[in-house]
Amino acid sequence: MSTPQPTQPLPSKEAVLFKHVLRFHELKQYKKAIKTADQILKKFPEHGETLAMKGLCLRLMTPDTDKEKKEEAYELVRKGVKCDLKSHVCWHVYGLLYRHDREYKEAIKCYLNALRIDKENIQILRDLALLQIQLRDLQGFVDTRHQLLTAKPSNRSHWITFAVAHHMNGNHDLAVEVLNQFEATLEEVPAGEAYEHSEMLLYAAQVLAEGGKPEEALAYLDKRKDKIKDKRGLDEFTAGVLLRVGRLVEAAAAYRRLLDVNPNNYKVHEGLRAAMELAPAADGSLTDAQRARLSQLYDELAAAFPGASACRRIPLDFKVGDAFKAAADAYLRRGLTRGVPSLFVDMRPLADADPAKRDVLLALAESYRDALRAGPGAAFPPLAGGAAGGEAPAPESPQTLVWVLFFLARFYDRLGRLEEALAHIDEALAHTPTVIELHTAKAKILRHTGDLEGAAHCAETARRMDLQDRYLNSLAVKALLGAGHCAAAERTASLFTRDGEQGAFTLFDMQHMWYELAAGRAHAGKGPAGRGPALKKFQAVVSHFADIAEDQFDFHSYCVRKGTLRSYVGMLGMMDRLYGHPFFSKAACGAVRVYLDLHDRPPGAANGADEEAALAAMSPEERKKYKLAKKKEEKEKARKAAEDKEREEREKKEREKAAAQKGGKKPAAASKREPDPDPEGAKLAAVADPLAEAAKLVEMLVKHAGSRLSSHVLAAEVALRRGRQVVALAALRNAAATAEAKAAGGADHPEVHALLVRLAQAFAASPPENEVVKAVVGAGLAELLGAGVTPAAFAGRWRAAHGTKSLDHRLAAARAMVALAETGGSAPSAAARTAAAAHVAAGAAEYGPASRPLHAQCVEVHRLLRDEWGVAEAADKWRAGCAAAYPHSRYFGGSKQMALDPSYDFENMREAFGKLSF
Amino acid sequence: MAKRELAVSFDIVREKNLEQLKLLNSVIFPMKYADEVYRQCMACGDLTQLAYHNDVLVGAITVRCERQPNGKAKAYIATLGVLAPYRNFAIGAKLLQRSLAAAQQDPNIEEAFVHVQVDNEDAIRFYQRHGFEKGEVVKDYYKKLSPPDAVVMSKKLAA
């Protein structure tokens, strides 16, 4: 291999200096590297490779936020490339620079240029391959890995990665062929590499099986049994493949051996049942003969593994009738006597799936309750299906009643019988108030009754009962956010972060996504003032996903070196599906909604007008209250600001003191950190073109979460606002198809319908200028609306057919009415808004505690009627209806609100209760 | 009636479970104890004992040390209570025994004592069974209870 001669040779002294520059760069001593480079540049200011290296080192020591320095670094490298176009070093460095800033496509271009000059540079080829697999340029990856293998066939990892490349590129046969050839070159596996070799063999078998050759995979492994170290992995894989190829007797034997290892592995149970042809049919049904054999099997397993809970629990899935009742009776008693808090969660799938089982479980629990309420020395009733005149059950511990009441409360809560749920949880609390789960369950039930503040109080009580329990802390944080106490929630969550008050950083660094989502939602619910903080949280989650995708970079080389190929390939698959994760969808949808709101109600302009409109809609009494509250709020704000400042100073002093005490050592890493330049997301909310930001997120949603209706609905919302009618039409088609697939009515789905009307209205008012586009949208609408049907007629027909089916339907019909009145960009008339609001509010009369929409949605609708549409009469009617349906609701002023402990003053909380050092 | 048994485990009070103890006492006793009392008890290590059944707090004895002029100390029982459904399982007796045993480990503690409402005959008998003797009656000890008088009961601890 020949390296091309440098085009700008340096004299020997400078050549040595340049080597030092490279050395310092490797050692990450960037300052020294730059100093040395400057020495060369003094004599040779046009030396390209030195310029490039200086630029790279400058970039590496500059924080990401320093845009000026960053630009300077790029200038240096570009100048270096210009001075020495024929140097592979310059191009390589340019590529490294782009790679550092995650601009992989640009980086690949630079590497390819470098390779044009130096065809067989291993280092550059390796860097290029990493980028190609990161970007899933699979054909390019195969080619590069082929070059590397040809250049250095003695390297084990070159063989393996080449095989992986073929596998990822869908060429299973070639992948196995490469591995086989590599195996043939080995004379003996050194003891130190035995495990890596074993992993390679298992990987090869997996590729064979995936490539449609399961029998070959079995034979392959059988021949190499002795070399496999991961015996369990081998057994699990073999069992799975035996089942797949229909060698059922052998598969069943394999699964039984696995059960001996872990009788609680549900996957193994499932495999065993499938191998014995006892799996349910596609519709979930079993034949009587299957049931009988299942009973027999599980009687046998329960005897063989008396300690395994899986062997007791699984029969509840397949048993029916009296057999189910007897099994459930025994199972429940055991859990209740032991006080298993998760017993209801364990039973919930049964109750949800089968009304008959639900009734049996409920009746059993109620019979326990009635028997155990008898007082001291009470016992369970006789066993269901037990022999008559059998031994009477022994007295239970007094606590069993508490767990029965707890179980029933959760059950009633699930069934929507919330009053009974509350009565049972209160009875249990009066009996033994020190059971922490009772408080968390009460919080949950209160949340369902619409009392979010009460829920926060109960969750906080539970948290205080065990300050070291992270789960309780998380529940409290969630409940606080639900009630809108964002600051208190953050302080509470920060109790479990490393650096206390700087917790916000740690919460971000730990990619604390459920918290960020809940906080984002809580902030977004606060109206215009909450938009900045909400965006901050949602965008944080979006950036976590970019970071996670980025994190795989290190594994491309690491996993091959460690030989963990099966996990590596699994990780690649996970990364391919990464953005389909529900957390991403939730964050992106949340952010898009805020951006839409920013577009519809831009900050600044609306501020005064909004308030005036709100004031006008209020009664004089309310107005007085509002003004008082506002004054108080301002005072409070000033007080808080002063306090925060004081606290900050105090803490700073404390930190300095602590640092001084540590003998003048460096202050802790956390305190060195630059403060967040935009802690409240004000800059995010001040974005010039919110729709463009929304469009970026929507694109990701449609691409990665296409099975979610909200992805397409939001795509249509954004496209309508941007005047892109073709895009909106396509989005609505997708939305209708998604709704169809979920059996949610296709184009008749309320959200889809309301958007269709808006699109038709927009098309009628201002059709696209381009004739072709106009024809496409026109034809598409004619297909969806019916030829020659006006938007108003279309909406009218839908309203008559579906408009009162549910709250969602009522809302859609009303939104369509408002949209139709919005002609030529003018605001809809008061009459249209009043009629629309009345159509929605009329639904409230039908609600009662037994049948009602979600509380959060009711609140949203109330705000829509009162604030956005400004129809006070309908809003009041709505509120009265909801207050009757939600008697515990604080928002609607229900009649049964729980008394609260005034000492929990969440809004003015200075410090979260129970600061502990762990 | 023969005492029934209930499996009970014991623990001491710490910062992290202090709220549980407060909650327990708030439902057993008709008055609220100041946070200061709990602080003092927590400072006295294992004199204060918590009883758990099935990992759930069901009873507790809270005890603090009181320094005497002669440099010695007395153990003062501030509260001893068990949730109503868990009474008659001898949990209170076990709590008292464990606390007294802990006090006996400390040679400086020469006596344990407690205030009992004068008409609380069950409690007086209970302490007598455990070797306490009736002492002086303090008039108007309880401000909000009737009768307001308390009898001091004490037990010498072997040095």
Side-chain angles (χ1 to χ4, degrees):
Chain A
M1 188 174 80
S2 68
T3 309
Q5 287 304 307
T7 49
Q8 289 181 311
L10 287 167
S12 64
K13 185 185 163 213
E14 275 72 22
V16 170
L17 282 175
F18 186 69
K19 270 194 189 136
H20 285 172
V21 174
L22 296 178
R23 184 90 191 109
F24 285 137
H25 165 254
E26 252 168 59
L27 296 171
K28 300 189 173 171
Q29 299 179 345
Y30 303 125
K31 260 192 192 157
K32 281 188 188 169
I34 291 178
K35 253 190 198 159
T36 319
D38 281 336
Q39 273 177 291
I40 306 174
L41 292 173
K42 232 186 259 165
K43 276 196 190 164
F44 302 97
E46 304 266 281
H47 188 251
E49 294 178 359
T50 309
L51 282 167
M53 280 309 294
K54 183 184 170 189
L56 180 64
C57 291
L58 183 64
R59 174 68 192 94
L60 291 174
M61 61 184 284
T62 309
D64 284 344
T65 45
D66 191 343
K67 289 232 165 85
E68 245 171 73
K69 274 267 166 66
K70 239 167 112 176
E71 195 42 46
E72 190 187 334
Y74 271 88
E75 277 307 313
L76 275 167
V77 175
R78 273 189 212 118
K79 190 175 165 200
V81 173
K82 236 180 257 167
C83 291
D84 196 354
L85 273 172
K86 286 262 180 293
S87 159
H88 68 271
V89 175
C90 288
W91 283 108
H92 191 184
V93 168
Y94 200 13
L96 287 173
L97 188 66
Y98 273 126
R99 183 184 126 175
H100 182 81
D101 284 323
R102 301 187 186 178
E103 302 222 27
Y104 297 138
K105 280 190 185 139
E106 293 300 318
I108 285 185
K109 279 187 213 160
C110 295
Y111 287 156
L112 289 175
N113 272 331
L115 284 171
R116 226 164 270 150
I117 299 155
D118 186 3
K119 287 205 171 44
E120 290 180 357
N121 188 314
I122 299 270
Q123 190 53 48
I124 303 180
L125 280 170
R126 214 178 271 155
D127 283 348
L128 173 66
L130 289 179
L131 288 183
Q132 284 168 327
I133 182 65
Q134 176 80 6
L135 289 184
R136 300 293 190 275
D137 170 9
L138 297 175
Q139 189 54 52
F141 184 51
V142 171
D143 294 344
T144 310
R145 291 315 314 191
H146 185 240
Q147 284 182 51
L148 274 166
L149 179 60
T150 328
K152 251 198 173 172
S154 59
N155 192 329
R156 174 176 153 269
S157 75
H158 286 183
W159 285 92
I160 291 175
T161 323
F162 187 44
V164 173
H166 275 308
H167 177 204
M168 294 315 294
N169 201 24
N171 213 329
H172 296 79
D173 290 347
L174 273 178
V176 176
E177 181 63 23
V178 171
L179 290 174
N180 282 341
Q181 280 193 20
F182 171 61
E183 202 188 2
T185 66
L186 294 173
E187 280 161 15
E188 201 176 322
V189 182
E193 285 174 25
Y195 187 78
E196 283 85 342
H197 188 71
S198 147
E199 279 295 304
M200 190 192 81
L201 299 177
L202 282 167
Y203 172 66
Q206 186 186 326
V207 177
L208 272 172
E210 261 179 43
K213 295 185 173 166
E215 288 285 0
E216 281 89 333
L218 289 174
Y220 182 93
L221 285 179
D222 197 45
K223 226 193 283 171
R224 296 165 175 81
K225 263 203 303 248
D226 305 338
K227 290 186 180 156
I228 305 285
K229 301 287 170 198
D230 178 5
K231 297 287 181 207
R232 177 96 58 86
L234 174 67
D235 289 345
E236 283 174 5
F237 179 81
T238 316
V241 177
L242 284 171
L243 180 60
R244 215 177 104 190
V245 298
R247 285 156 67 174
L248 296 182
V249 177
E250 289 161 87
Y255 278 119
R256 280 195 185 258
R257 278 195 300 278
L258 284 168
L259 268 193
D260 286 335
V261 180
N262 179 5
N264 277 322
N265 186 335
Y266 276 70
K267 284 225 169 90
V268 174
H269 278 276
E270 208 174 292
L272 176 60
R273 292 197 301 271
M276 296 174 73
E277 295 180 275
L278 293 173
D283 62 349
S285 65
L286 288 164
T287 65
D288 286 344
Q290 278 180 317
R291 280 214 171 83
R293 282 182 59 213
L294 276 168
S295 292
Q296 202 186 350
L297 170 66
Y298 275 91
D299 286 347
E300 176 205 323
L301 289 177
F305 306 108
S309 61
C311 301
R312 283 193 302 275
R313 171 63 181 80
I314 290 171
L316 299 186
D317 288 333
F318 63 78
K319 286 194 173 170
V320 288
D322 285 343
F324 172 77
K325 190 171 180 186
D329 197 15
Y331 193 83
L332 288 179
R333 284 171 193 228
R334 187 181 163 107
L336 293 167
T337 301
R338 295 184 169 203
V340 177
S342 59
L343 186 64
F344 179 68
V345 178
D346 188 10
M347 294 294 103
R348 195 169 56 195
L350 296 170
D352 286 350
D354 184 346
K357 288 188 180 180
R358 181 191 68 205
D359 295 345
V360 169
L361 289 170
L362 190 61
L364 281 171
E366 282 169 342
S367 75
Y368 305 154
R369 175 196 62 196
D370 297 342
L372 291 173
R373 266 179 181 162
F380 278 130
L383 269 168
E391 216 175 301
E396 281 295 313
S397 144
Q399 210 174 81
T400 310
L401 175 60
V402 177
W403 293 109
V404 172
L405 292 168
F406 172 71
F407 182 86
L408 276 169
R410 299 288 313 270
F411 213 142
Y412 290 131
D413 177 41
R414 184 73 179 173
L415 300 176
R417 293 157 67 174
L418 299 183
E419 295 302 320
E420 284 157 283
L422 274 179
H424 280 74
I425 211 77
D426 283 339
E427 186 183 340
L429 278 168
H431 184 288
T432 308
T434 42
V435 176
I436 302 178
E437 285 81 4
L438 295 178
H439 297 270
T440 58
K442 185 165 182 184
K444 195 175 191 137
I445 299 168
L446 283 173
R447 179 160 57 82
H448 294 160
T449 65
D451 183 1
L452 305 178
E453 194 64 37
H457 277 244
C458 288
E460 172 72 7
T461 306
R463 181 182 78 79
R464 291 185 180 193
M465 287 169 77
D466 189 346
L467 294 168
Q468 281 174 325
D469 190 317
R470 185 179 206 125
Y471 174 67
L472 295 174
N473 182 280
S474 298
L475 283 184
V477 169
K478 229 175 186 173
L480 283 169
L481 287 171
H485 301 300
C486 300
E490 183 167 317
R491 286 208 179 133
T492 305
S494 297
L495 291 174
F496 272 82
T497 59
R498 246 177 307 129
D499 27 85
E501 285 297 321
Q502 283 215 321
F505 273 136
T506 317
L507 289 172
F508 178 85
D509 291 344
M510 292 195 305
Q511 304 183 329
H512 205 331
M513 292 201 267
W514 71 255
Y515 166 75
E516 285 166 330
L517 284 173
R521 245 170 295 167
H523 281 297
K526 287 192 179 297
R531 296 192 292 205
L535 278 181
K536 180 91 188 166
K537 299 290 182 208
F538 288 138
Q539 288 287 14
V541 176
V542 171
S543 74
H544 293 327
F545 276 87
D547 287 341
I548 293 169
E550 175 67 22
D551 284 342
Q552 68 174 311
F553 207 105
D554 299 334
F555 291 97
H556 299 313
S557 41
Y558 178 84
C559 286
V560 175
R561 191 156 32 111
K562 289 282 172 196
T564 54
L565 299 171
R566 289 178 297 162
S567 330
Y568 173 57
V569 171
M571 187 270 297
L572 290 180
M574 185 271 278
M575 286 295 176
D576 288 341
R577 296 183 300 274
L578 180 64
Y579 287 95
H581 193 280
F583 276 177
F584 181 79
S585 291
K586 285 180 188 167
C589 288
V592 168
R593 292 207 177 90
V594 177
Y595 284 126
L596 292 177
D597 186 40
L598 278 171
H599 172 81
D600 296 346
R601 293 185 291 163
N607 238 347
D610 256 13
E611 197 181 341
E612 231 135 80
L615 278 176
M618 288 180 193
S619 65
E621 214 173 288
E622 276 178 321
R623 215 170 300 159
K624 217 176 182 181
K625 240 191 204 166
Y626 175 83
K627 280 189 177 159
L628 263 177
K630 205 167 168 198
K631 222 181 238 170
K632 201 174 150 199
E633 199 176 291
E634 269 160 24
K635 243 191 203 164
E636 190 58 22
K637 232 184 197 170
R639 190 186 65 78
K640 255 189 207 166
E643 214 171 71
D644 280 350
K645 208 172 150 194
E646 190 194 327
R647 197 183 55 226
E648 246 165 57
E649 265 164 29
R650 197 182 62 224
E651 269 166 18
K652 202 172 149 199
K653 264 185 209 152
E654 268 169 22
R655 264 204 300 277
E656 277 163 11
K657 214 164 113 193
Q661 273 175 356
K662 271 184 197 163
K665 265 192 216 159
K666 274 190 261 174
S671 62
K672 230 169 56 182
R673 192 150 165 177
E674 302 256 327
D676 189 333
D678 186 19
E680 295 297 319
K683 284 183 195 160
L684 283 171
V687 62
D689 185 0
L691 288 185
E693 298 297 319
K696 278 186 221 160
L697 291 170
V698 159
E699 195 187 330
M700 297 285 281
L701 281 172
V702 171
K703 188 167 158 200
H704 297 285
S707 61
R708 291 170 73 103
L709 182 63
S710 57
S711 304
H712 303 296
V713 165
L714 288 176
E717 291 271 8
V718 173
L720 272 176
R721 283 175 177 73
R722 301 180 98 198
R724 311 261 164 93
Q725 295 181 5
V726 195
V727 182
L729 178 68
L732 284 180
R733 279 216 182 99
N734 285 336
T738 313
E740 189 72 62
K742 292 184 198 295
D748 282 335
H749 185 276
E751 280 187 87
V752 181
H753 168 75
L755 281 161
L756 258 179
V757 172
R758 278 168 57 195
L759 175 62
Q761 183 71 4
F763 181 74
S766 54
E769 283 171 18
N770 183 313
E771 284 302 321
V772 180
V773 176
K774 188 176 165 184
V776 170
V777 178
L781 278 173
E783 189 188 313
L784 285 163
L785 267 62
V789 179
T790 64
F794 175 67
R797 201 186 299 160
W798 189 87
R799 189 163 67 240
H802 308 286
T804 55
K805 275 186 185 163
S806 75
L807 177 55
D808 284 325
H809 288 84
R810 280 182 185 275
L811 269 176
R815 283 185 197 282
M817 285 156 81
V818 172
L820 286 168
E822 248 173 67
T823 40
S826 69
S829 66
R833 280 183 280 127
T834 309
H839 183 71
V840 176
E846 299 157 16
Y847 301 146
S851 64
R852 57 194 180 185
L854 288 178
H855 184 263
Q857 200 189 6
C858 292
V859 172
E860 233 172 82
V861 169
H862 182 248
R863 292 194 175 131
L864 173 78
L865 301 181
R866 189 192 58 189
D867 305 336
E868 203 175 319
W869 289 349
V871 188
E873 195 192 331
D876 276 344
K877 194 175 162 196
W878 178 254
R879 191 177 59 191
C882 291
Y886 279 102
H888 293 273
S889 164
R890 264 166 232 284
Y891 181 88
F892 291 117
S895 56
K896 290 196 203 162
Q897 293 173 44
M898 186 185 88
L900 294 178
D901 179 349
S903 70
Y904 289 0
D905 185 4
F906 294 124
E907 271 310 294
N908 299 307
M909 190 165 94
R910 294 175 205 196
E911 217 155 65
F913 175 88
K915 229 170 197 193
L916 281 180
S917 46
F918 292 101
Chain B
M1 185 177 93
K3 287 261 176 183
R4 290 173 295 141
E5 282 286 324
L6 203 59
V8 184
S9 58
F10 297 90
D11 194 6
I12 60 168
V13 62
R14 307 182 172 82
E15 191 82 42
K16 77 156 209 162
N17 57 15
L18 177 62
E19 283 296 305
Q20 284 195 43
L21 175 60
K22 287 190 197 170
L23 182 73
L24 179 91
N25 283 344
S26 78
V27 294
I28 296 178
F29 301 108
M31 55 209 191
K32 196 171 178 244
Y33 289 86
D35 283 357
E36 188 52 29
V37 176
Y38 290 107
R39 291 275 145 216
Q40 290 165 351
C41 292
M42 210 148 58
C44 296
D46 51 2
L47 292 189
T48 295
Q49 290 280 333
L50 311 180
Y52 288 84
H53 170 58
N54 239 346
D55 284 341
V56 171
L57 181 66
V58 295
I61 182 168
T62 53
V63 180
R64 68 164 184 248
C65 282
E66 288 186 352
R67 190 188 285 273
Q68 298 301 303
N70 63 2
K72 297 281 186 178
K74 285 183 178 178
Y76 174 67
I77 301 172
T79 72
L80 168 55
V82 175
L83 287 174
Y86 303 87
R87 288 179 196 156
N88 286 321
F89 288 103
I91 295 174
K94 284 180 189 160
L95 282 166
L96 182 61
Q97 283 158 9
R98 285 182 70 91
S99 183
L100 290 177
Q104 241 146 5
Q105 295 296 312
D106 185 341
N108 283 323
I109 301 177
E110 45 186 15
E111 188 184 307
F113 73 109
V114 59
H115 287 100
V116 183
Q117 206 174 359
V118 283
D119 68 341
N120 191 345
E121 281 164 25
D122 285 346
I124 292 172
R125 263 201 306 279
F126 171 80
Y127 283 112
Q128 282 173 337
R129 265 206 308 279
H130 288 88
F132 283 70
E133 281 162 20
K134 272 187 178 181
E136 56 169 328
V137 171
V138 185
K139 289 275 174 210
D140 294 327
Y141 180 77
Y142 298 106
K143 291 184 184 72
K144 288 177 190 163
L145 302 185
S146 169
D149 304 343
V151 56
V152 175
M153 299 191 70
S154 61
K155 175 179 183 169
K156 292 264 174 277
L157 298 176

